């Protein structure tokens, strides 16, 4: 049994329409990024290849929680099947873990592009990019399997989850045995890896900014920064929303606040990422403009 935001029918319908609008916006934005990168050969570069992977992950992560919350609000229900709960835990951990791994790889890509531009094509060749993306996905899958196995090996005293979806921290509170300590150890291990990725990204950007300052042209500095700014914004959004959701005083831990913070963490990054990447990116805008002319897009591509 999942958390119910309200037992008032009108508010439940309001929640349904809000969830529907948010989900539709997130899905549309990420699908447009995926289609733009896949169909425009000008975007077949390492940076946009990793961006397409990020959009696929965002599409997956927002689909883990929101559709079930929509259905429960519409049907005046709180239930989720055991297999559905297992799937939510597995896929949420998979998508979030892979998301952070891809963002780490993207930081490396920007480092090579700015600090070693002459060797960029040699280092970031097609096979290397595929291997890095595949490694990120494999890490995410193994991480998802580790936490799913660790969580559902626990004996639970209750089936009342104080959250809108099956979330590990809330499920650990229902443990009846000391087996939950195994999953706590897994969580601490994953947090250590996540911290390592974050430190790597920060260290990489310190080197990038040092290299940018050595560029003699102001125009060149602006161009270099403009390619890094969306990625840095997305990393900051993911980290800040995670801290906002889980690192807060106990006095701010009511059920409704827990649900709101979880929504911020699980929904806001996938919702905003497409806008962050397309807002200042003229290549993405051009590709989306072509895409809006669906019937003429193949012709434009051939003429190009």
């Amino acid at each position: 049994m999942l958390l119910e935001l309200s037992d008032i029918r009108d508010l439940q319908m309001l929640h349904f329409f809000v969830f529907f609008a948010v989900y539709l916006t997130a899905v549309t934005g990420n699908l447009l990024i995926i289609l733009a990168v896949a169909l425009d050969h000008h975007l077949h570069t390492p940076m946009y290849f990793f961006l397409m992977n990020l959009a696929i992950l965002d599409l997956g992560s927002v689909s883990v929680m929101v559709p079930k919350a929509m259905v429960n609000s519409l049907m005046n229900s709180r239930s989720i099947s055991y297999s559905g709960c297992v799937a939510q835990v597995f896929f949420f951990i998979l998508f979030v873990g892979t998301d952070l791994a891809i963002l780490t790889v993207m930081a490396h890509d920007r480092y090579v592009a700015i600090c070693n531009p002459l060797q960029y094509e040699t280092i970031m060749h097609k096979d290397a990019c595929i291997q890095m993306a595949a490694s990120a996905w494999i890490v995410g899958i193994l991480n998802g399997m580790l936490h799913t196995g660790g969580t559902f090996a626990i004996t639970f005293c209750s089936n009342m989850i104080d959250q809108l979806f099956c979330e590990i921290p809330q499920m650990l509170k229902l443990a009846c045995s000391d087996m939950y300590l195994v999953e706590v150890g897994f969580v601490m291990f994953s947090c250590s890896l996540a911290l390592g990725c974050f430190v790597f990204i920060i260290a990489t950007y310190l080197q990038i900014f040092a290299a940018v300052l050595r560029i003699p042209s102001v125009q060149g500095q602006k161009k270099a920064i403009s390619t890094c700014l969306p990625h840095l914004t997305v990393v900051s959004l993911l980290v800040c929303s995670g801290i906002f959701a889980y690192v807060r005083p106990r006095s701010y831990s009511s059920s409704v606040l827990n649900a709101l913070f979880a929504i911020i963490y699980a929904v806001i990054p996938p919702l905003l990422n497409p806008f962050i990447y397309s807002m200042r990116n003229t290549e993405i805008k051009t590709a989306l403009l072509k895409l809006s002319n669906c019937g003429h897009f193949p012709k434009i591509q051939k003429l190009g």
Side-chain angles (χ1 to χ4, degrees):
M1 302 297 288
L2 299 173
L3 177 68
E4 187 177 44
L5 285 176
S6 174
D7 56 0
I8 301 172
R9 190 59 187 152
D10 289 344
L11 287 178
Q12 288 175 345
M13 293 307 297
L14 176 63
H15 296 151
F16 168 78
F17 286 114
V18 170
F19 281 133
F20 178 74
V22 168
Y23 185 64
L24 187 63
T25 304
V27 168
T28 303
N30 284 292
L31 276 178
L32 285 174
I33 294 291
I34 294 167
L35 289 172
V37 175
L39 297 178
D40 192 332
H41 68 280
H42 295 106
L43 301 182
H44 292 175
T45 63
M47 182 174 76
Y48 292 109
F49 169 70
F50 294 128
L51 176 58
M52 183 174 70
N53 275 268
L54 190 67
I56 293 170
L57 290 164
D58 286 340
L59 192 60
S61 63
V62 79
S63 298
V64 169
M65 183 194 81
V66 179
K68 182 59 181 175
M70 286 167 51
V71 169
N72 280 359
S73 295
L74 184 64
M75 304 300 292
N76 189 21
S77 172
R78 297 178 56 192
S79 65
I80 183 171
S81 66
Y82 184 84
S83 58
C85 193
V86 172
Q88 279 195 337
V89 169
F90 173 73
F91 284 110
F92 187 73
I93 296 297
L94 186 162
F95 290 131
V96 172
T98 310
D99 199 308
L100 185 56
I102 288 290
L103 288 172
T104 305
V105 171
M106 291 174 78
H108 175 67
D109 171 69
R110 290 300 83 207
Y111 168 78
V112 176
I114 293 171
C115 299
N116 295 299
L118 298 179
Q119 297 180 345
Y120 183 74
E121 291 187 5
T122 304
I123 298 172
M124 300 300 294
H125 55 86
K126 182 180 178 181
D127 289 342
C129 292
I130 292 173
Q131 288 171 10
M132 284 187 274
S135 298
W137 279 92
I138 290 169
V139 167
I141 291 169
L142 293 176
N143 195 36
M145 291 171 64
L146 180 72
H147 285 288
T148 305
T151 301
F152 290 94
I154 299 169
T155 302
F156 299 109
C157 296
S158 169
N159 68 343
M160 307 291 287
I161 301 171
D162 195 25
Q163 188 53 274
L164 292 173
F165 63 107
C166 292
E167 182 189 41
I168 290 175
Q170 296 300 329
M171 296 184 71
L172 291 180
K173 293 179 180 179
L174 308 178
C176 286
S177 66
D178 290 340
M179 276 295 294
Y180 81 96
L181 294 173
V182 174
E183 176 56 22
V184 170
F186 290 157
V187 170
M188 292 177 67
F189 175 70
S190 292
C191 287
S192 299
L193 290 180
L195 181 61
C197 289
F198 182 64
V199 170
F200 176 84
I201 292 170
I202 295 299
T204 300
Y205 270 102
L206 288 175
Q207 295 179 69
I208 288 173
F209 291 143
V212 167
L213 292 175
R214 291 195 294 268
I215 298 175
S217 162
V218 175
Q219 191 66 27
Q221 289 181 351
K222 288 182 178 179
K223 186 177 179 181
I225 290 294
S226 68
T227 64
C228 297
L229 198 58
H231 176 258
L232 201 53
T233 306
V234 168
V235 172
S236 301
L237 182 64
L238 180 67
V239 172
C240 291
S241 61
I243 292 172
F244 190 64
Y246 295 110
V247 184
R248 62 182 188 275
R250 288 180 177 271
S251 55
Y252 295 95
S253 59
S254 69
S255 296
V256 175
L257 283 176
N258 283 337
L260 291 175
F261 290 142
I263 290 170
I264 289 171
Y265 175 61
V267 175
I268 297 300
L271 178 67
L272 295 184
N273 286 354
F275 298 101
I276 292 169
Y277 270 104
S278 60
M279 200 175 298
R280 295 170 58 89
N281 192 310
T282 54
E283 290 178 316
I284 289 286
K285 287 180 181 178
T286 303
L288 290 175
L289 191 61
K290 290 179 183 179
L291 193 60
S292 67
N293 238 341
C294 288
H296 302 289
F297 186 80
K299 289 185 180 179
I300 292 173
Q301 200 174 31
K302 286 178 184 177
L303 289 172

